[in-house]
Amino acid sequence: MLNHVVTFIWKQDISDDHIQSFHEALSTVSETIPEVVEYRYGRDLALKPGSGDYAISATFEDVPDFRTYLAHPAHVRLVQEFISVMAESYSSVQIEFASR
């Protein structure tokens, strides 16, 4: 199994409406892209200084499924319409883990 985690810092002028629109767009990704095993996302709870503003965690069976996700039109649309417009910066990691 592979987990892809992305954290975002939003630009200063990003409103709650922008974030809600992004959240709604994300809700369709796991339904649209069959390679997604699990998809979780949400705002940071601000429990610790230095955290990002928002995060996505996506789980895939393997690296080829992850690469399919990256190239899928629904993911490309998210990047073009939301992430490239809203994010001041972002960071991602991909980790492999054993399924239980």
Side-chain angles (χ1 to χ4, degrees):
M1 300 290 282
L2 181 144
N3 193 241
H4 168 60
V5 179
V6 185
T7 60
F8 302 94
I9 302 290
W10 298 135
K11 293 178 182 176
Q12 291 285 334
D13 62 345
I14 297 304
S15 68
D16 285 341
D17 289 341
H18 286 113
I19 297 166
Q20 183 60 34
S21 294
F22 181 54
H23 190 83
E24 290 168 8
L26 288 169
S27 71
T28 64
V29 168
S30 63
E31 298 165 8
T32 306
I33 305 174
E35 289 78 12
V36 175
V37 173
E38 183 175 69
Y39 209 63
R40 296 179 183 221
Y41 46 88
R43 292 176 186 235
D44 179 60
L45 298 175
L47 301 176
K48 182 177 166 252
S51 298
D53 295 321
Y54 199 94
I56 299 170
S57 174
T59 304
F60 304 92
E61 289 291 335
D62 52 31
V63 172
D65 283 357
F66 171 63
R67 293 188 194 283
T68 298
Y69 162 80
L70 290 177
H72 193 283
H75 178 262
V76 172
R77 178 182 155 264
L78 282 173
V79 172
Q80 292 173 340
E81 293 182 18
F82 294 97
I83 296 168
S84 66
V85 174
M86 296 171 59
E88 179 70 33
S89 64
Y90 63 92
S91 178
S92 71
V93 296
Q94 295 76 46
I95 59 169
E96 286 188 298
F97 60 92
S99 61
R100 292 185 174 177

